[in-house]
Amino acid sequence: GDGNEAVIEALQECGALLKQDPYNHKYPYDWRTKKPTIFRATDQWFASVDNFRDEAMSAIDTVKWTPEFGKNRISAMTSSRSDWCISRQRTWGVPIPVFYHKETGEALMTEESINRVRDLVREHGSDCWFEMEVADLLPESMRGEADSWEKGKDTMDVWFDSGSSWSGVVNERGLSLPADLYLEGSDQHRGWFQ
């Protein structure tokens, strides 16, 4: 297009064009819908694997893996990953309990606000995030500021749920740790670190 031509012309004028060769790119298509993929840059939430890598690698060694090659697969992914993108832009799932200031875009995610949402989810289920008003979701100490905040729309990566749900089940039911058995498909190792 026009942009390509302008860049090529600018490079020619300053003597920096090394080679010009027309090339038709293959456009990526979604494997499910067979429609063109649209790429867009979005803000994301990340967990730094650096903060728990050593502990995770030690824990991997304490697990009896069936089949045994699963240990090598998860070890390779855990040892080489630096960040884990834990947010998704979906209209379903477990919400990331963050509020954004309407004017500044500043994120609000404090221990108090997380505990408030946690208690509401425990009582009403995770859909309360989507169904309740901001004033009802904010901690009591911030309800007077509700008009200044909006709910975040990102949801938690489902693989994060998958990899942590056992802990909630064990704790909620008063079972002993470590759990006797936890089942995951081998394909889920890759998904944990998307």
Side-chain angles (χ1 to χ4, degrees), residues 97-112:
V98 63
F99 300 89
Y100 294 98
H101 195 273
K102 289 179 180 178
E103 289 183 19
T104 66
E106 173 190 359
L108 169 71
M109 188 187 293
T110 64
E111 185 174 350
E112 182 185 24

Side-chain angles (χ1 to χ4, degrees), residues 87-100 117-118 120-121 124-138 150-158 161:
S87 55
R88 297 292 181 268
Q89 290 69 54
R90 297 190 172 127
T91 56
W92 55 270
V94 175
I96 295 177
V98 63
F99 300 89
Y100 294 98
V117 173
R118 178 204 60 202
L120 289 169
V121 167
H124 303 286
S126 61
D127 278 353
C128 71
W129 180 261
F130 305 106
E131 296 167 354
M132 295 175 79
E133 298 296 322
V134 170
D136 298 322
L137 293 166
L138 284 170
E150 61 187 3
K151 297 182 271 188
K153 296 177 182 164
D154 292 340
T155 57
M156 185 68 72
D157 174 13
V158 296
D161 285 345

Side-chain angles (χ1 to χ4, degrees), residues 28-56:
Y29 283 78
D30 177 64
W31 66 274
R32 291 181 183 149
T33 65
K34 310 299 185 232
K35 293 181 180 177
T37 303
I38 298 172
F39 294 97
R40 61 187 173 101
T42 58
D43 292 331
Q44 302 291 342
W45 288 92
F46 289 88
S48 173
V49 176
D50 292 340
N51 294 332
F52 61 86
R53 178 181 292 108
D54 293 341
E55 187 179 352

Side-chain angles (χ1 to χ4, degrees), residues 138-191:
L138 284 170
E140 185 74 39
S141 64
M142 297 190 67
R143 293 220 179 112
E145 303 172 40
D147 289 342
S148 299
W149 299 94
E150 61 187 3
K151 297 182 271 188
K153 296 177 182 164
D154 292 340
T155 57
M156 185 68 72
D157 174 13
V158 296
W159 297 105
F160 189 90
D161 285 345
S162 174
S164 60
S165 61
W166 65 270
S167 179
V169 171
V170 167
N171 291 333
E172 191 67 28
R173 295 184 181 176
L175 303 173
S176 62
L177 288 171
D180 294 327
L181 177 69
Y182 189 72
L183 302 174
E184 287 284 355
S186 178
D187 63 320
Q188 292 180 329
H189 298 165
R190 174 196 53 81

Side-chain angles (χ1 to χ4, degrees), residues 10-84:
L11 290 171
Q12 283 174 330
E13 287 175 7
C14 69
L17 182 65
L18 301 176
K19 181 179 180 179
Q20 175 187 348
D21 199 12
Y23 179 80
N24 289 327
H25 292 274
K26 291 182 179 176
Y27 195 83
Y29 283 78
D30 177 64
W31 66 274
R32 291 181 183 149
T33 65
K34 310 299 185 232
K35 293 181 180 177
T37 303
I38 298 172
F39 294 97
R40 61 187 173 101
T42 58
D43 292 331
Q44 302 291 342
W45 288 92
F46 289 88
S48 173
V49 176
D50 292 340
N51 294 332
F52 61 86
R53 178 181 292 108
D54 293 341
E55 187 179 352
M57 293 300 293
S58 296
I60 288 169
D61 287 334
T62 67
V63 173
K64 180 180 184 312
W65 294 84
T66 305
E68 290 183 18
F69 68 77
K71 178 180 178 182
N72 293 336
R73 189 171 186 191
I74 194 73
S75 294
M77 288 182 217
T78 305
S79 66
S80 64
R81 184 63 55 137
S82 60
D83 292 315
W84 178 5

